[in-house]
Amino acid sequence: MTMRTQVGIVGSGPSGLLLSQILHKAGIESVILERRSRDYVEGRIRAGVIEQGAVDLLTSAGVGERMASQGLVHEGFDIALNGERTRVDLAGLTGGKTVTVYGQTEITKDLINARLDAGGTIIFEAGDVRPEGFEGASPVLSFTQDGARQELHCDFIAGCDGYHGVCRASFPDGEIRSFERVYPFAWLGVLVEAPPPSHELIYCRDTRGFALFSMRSTEVSRSYLQCAPDEDLNEWPDDRVFEELQRRLGDSATVAAGNVLEKSVTPMRSFVAEPLRYGRLFLAGDAGHIVPPTGAKGLNLAASDIYYLSNGLIDYYRNGNEGLLDTYSATALDRVWKAQRFSYYMTTLLHNTGGDGFDDKIKLAELRYTLGSESALESLAENYVGLPY
Ligand code: APR
Ligand code: PHB
């Protein structure tokens, strides 16, 4: 069977869904092909700190309602160094900017509902998706649905299929270059039915390693512990997780135990592919770049990519201009690399690399300097709330 749309989108994570929704608002048709089931996509637990720019973009795309009522606006967060906490006054340091704590899982559900309510097409469990013909004027996405091979013809392909997707892998040899850093540690994350220790996030650097206390609501906490990339979860019964979280937090607040809803290990990687375009195939979000979660930039970079890409597509369909599509890769990558820098900075600043050598001393000095310097804190806050689009 053959179908036709204007923009063929691979992947129904935040990138693909948001692109489809913004294009729909602008009267441009798209179809999303997603490898997994709807339940799987809606059940994935991901990060949850949303920059103002991403909040504004989601709101203008018509999916801001639940985020506005259930999201928590945060004006600051704490950094703890060996148990001693310093508040980073985001609003005070940035002229009133804030971030919103609202789970990416919820954003995904809101976007899927919005797309389906508006009659949009998301084909879940699309097998063996293959982007073809994108070096010319007639791209095709071929895929398998219920055992039969199908073709989706389109004007453009948006590769929003995450780090392990097929779109980046489809660039011809020599037409894409990767830059990568793999960190020698990971995060053990728990989602717990218990209030967080503080109403704001606490990032901890401790001699025992990094810990982060975040939340999904005032009643559900999300916490992380620095661990080994190959950490065995069987060695981390719930009690041990709570004890270790408390040790790294120190005695300035209490870690509440509760029913553990999810426990997992997240590897830490920085990755950028360049360029983000080949012919009529465009990469956005995790398909083009990965950040370690320390700076909470993953979803926010997906949003800024989609902002630039949707502007390019809208200008093309409305006015016949290809200029913004031509500059998409360079424009998006400029912001991506700045967020990469910040994520690398936050990661290396706050994690314990195990050594007591020179590098570790320098990082400790940098953290102490930052916590005591108004201008260093201003820069940290400016990046944390998000650089402008
Ligand atoms: N065919 C179809 N779909 C695919 C394929 C494929 N070959 N490969 C991957 N996918 C789907 C995945 O199942 C997933 O639903 O693409 C989607 C990609 O979604 P995400 O990984 O969430 O990536 P993105 O939408 O760019 O969102 C970025 O999500 O991973 C976090 O930290 C990241 O917060 C960031 C945000
Ligand atoms: C989260 O709530 O999952 C979270 C928050 C802040 C981060 C990373 C993850 O920096």
Side-chain angles (χ1 to χ4, degrees):
M1 207 184 82
T2 298
M3 291 183 282
R4 188 171 161 86
T5 192
Q6 290 175 298
V7 182
I9 300 175
V10 187
S12 75
S15 302
L17 289 163
L18 180 58
L19 178 62
S20 179
Q21 178 67 8
I22 294 173
L23 293 178
H24 164 71
K25 290 267 165 192
I28 299 165
E29 270 180 30
S30 65
V31 168
I32 303 180
L33 303 181
E34 165 60 49
R35 180 169 60 171
R36 302 286 194 167
S37 68
R38 179 175 178 182
D39 278 355
Y40 181 92
V41 170
E42 291 189 339
R44 276 190 301 227
I45 307 295
R46 295 274 179 81
V49 175
I50 324 292
E51 296 171 353
Q52 190 60 49
V55 169
D56 294 345
L57 191 61
L58 287 159
T59 304
S60 69
V63 284
E65 207 174 300
R66 218 160 57 93
M67 180 168 53
S69 66
Q70 294 178 17
L72 306 169
V73 174
H74 281 206
E75 296 191 346
F77 65 86
D78 277 6
I79 294 181
L81 175 54
N82 297 328
E84 198 174 310
R85 281 158 61 178
T86 303
R87 183 161 186 268
V88 181
D89 176 6
L90 291 174
L93 290 159
T94 61
K97 293 190 180 143
T98 57
V99 292
T100 297
V101 174
Y102 184 63
Q104 183 176 317
T105 310
E106 304 310 312
I107 291 180
T108 305
K109 287 183 198 160
D110 295 345
L111 281 163
I112 289 178
N113 283 333
R115 287 314 300 121
L116 297 180
D117 286 351
T121 307
I122 307 173
I123 299 178
F124 289 102
E125 296 177 76
D128 190 20
V129 174
R130 290 190 206 162
E132 289 154 4
F134 51 85
E135 48 296 302
S138 314
V140 180
L141 285 165
S142 69
F143 63 101
T144 303
Q145 188 182 18
D146 300 327
R149 207 68 200 151
Q150 317 275 11
E151 282 189 354
L152 174 65
H153 291 250
C154 48
D155 302 327
F156 298 99
I157 296 173
C160 300
D161 49 350
Y163 180 67
H164 299 287
V166 66
C167 290
R168 190 178 71 250
S170 303
F171 275 50
D173 283 349
E175 297 294 343
I176 194 158
R177 187 170 168 205
S178 299
F179 301 83
E180 187 169 32
R181 169 69 45 96
V182 178
Y183 299 87
F185 41 74
W187 282 9
L188 191 165
V190 281
L191 185 68
V192 183
E193 279 178 315
S198 163
H199 68 288
E200 292 183 339
L201 272 62
I202 310 174
Y203 290 81
C204 305
R205 180 176 169 136
D206 184 80
T207 47
R208 299 178 66 87
F210 171 86
L212 168 60
F213 297 86
S214 180
M215 66 202 71
R216 288 295 171 270
S217 70
T218 51
E219 301 308 319
V220 175
S221 61
R222 177 70 170 156
S223 311
Y224 301 94
L225 287 170
Q226 178 182 346
C227 64
D230 59 353
E231 197 77 38
D232 181 2
L233 278 180
N234 293 320
E235 289 178 17
W236 287 92
D238 300 350
D239 286 353
R240 182 176 173 208
V241 174
F242 292 125
E243 261 168 45
E244 188 61 27
L245 284 167
Q246 184 71 65
R247 279 202 192 123
R248 295 190 194 182
L249 175 62
D251 52 17
S252 69
T254 305
V255 178
N259 182 34
V260 175
L261 300 168
E262 197 247 11
K263 193 191 284 171
S264 56
V265 172
T266 308
M268 310 272 281
R269 176 192 297 274
S270 300
F271 171 86
V272 182
E274 292 192 354
L276 297 174
R277 174 195 188 170
Y278 185 81
R280 287 179 166 243
L281 170 62
F282 294 83
L283 303 179
D286 276 20
H289 40 79
I290 297 278
V291 283
T294 326
K297 293 297 175 214
L299 172 70
N300 294 301
L301 281 181
S304 57
D305 281 2
I306 295 306
Y307 172 80
Y308 297 126
L309 182 55
S310 60
N311 279 349
L313 290 166
I314 291 168
D315 200 31
Y316 172 84
Y317 283 111
R318 288 212 178 130
N319 311 313
N321 290 338
E322 293 195 30
L324 293 178
L325 290 176
D326 289 341
T327 53
Y328 164 71
S329 177
T331 311
L333 284 170
D334 180 67
R335 191 170 190 279
V336 164
W337 273 113
K338 288 173 185 160
Q340 287 287 355
R341 182 206 69 81
F342 179 66
S343 302
Y344 172 87
Y345 161 80
M346 285 284 278
T347 301
T348 51
L349 195 66
L350 294 171
H351 287 77
N352 189 330
T353 47
D356 54 359
F358 186 82
D359 290 349
D360 214 44
K361 289 282 188 195
I362 289 288
K363 281 297 161 195
L364 269 172
E366 187 172 4
L367 180 52
R368 281 198 299 270
Y369 159 71
T370 303
L371 296 177
S373 157
E374 187 78 0
S375 54
L377 283 172
E378 246 176 47
S379 165
L380 192 155
E382 179 189 29
N383 282 276
Y384 194 88
V385 299
L387 298 176
Y389 290 5

